[in-house]
Amino acid sequence: MDAVQEPSREEPAKSVMDEERSFPRGLAIRLFVYLIAGHVLAGFLYLLFEAGAGGR
């Protein structure tokens, strides 16, 4: 009677990346870095135009 086992109650397999609930961390970091770099570049260009306009 020990040979009969109850069926295991396993949960359904989860997907490796549950994209609806979690944002991939690497993508979030890359997005943040690009956002900061874009603002730094825009600020530098703004300063160049301001310096160029002040020379007239």
Side-chain angles (χ1 to χ4, degrees):
M1 297 214 173
D2 291 332
V4 178
Q5 296 179 354
E6 293 182 21
S8 61
R9 297 180 184 179
E10 297 179 6
E11 295 180 11
K14 291 183 178 180
S15 63
V16 176
M17 288 182 63
D18 191 3
E19 295 178 5
E20 294 180 0
R21 292 185 184 176
S22 66
F23 202 66
R25 184 175 178 162
L27 182 62
I29 292 172
R30 192 179 319 145
L31 182 64
F32 182 72
V33 169
Y34 287 159
L35 187 70
I36 296 300
H39 279 83
V40 168
L41 180 62
F44 179 69
L45 288 174
Y46 175 77
L47 288 176
L48 284 180
F49 277 99
E50 284 295 315
R56 288 199 232 178

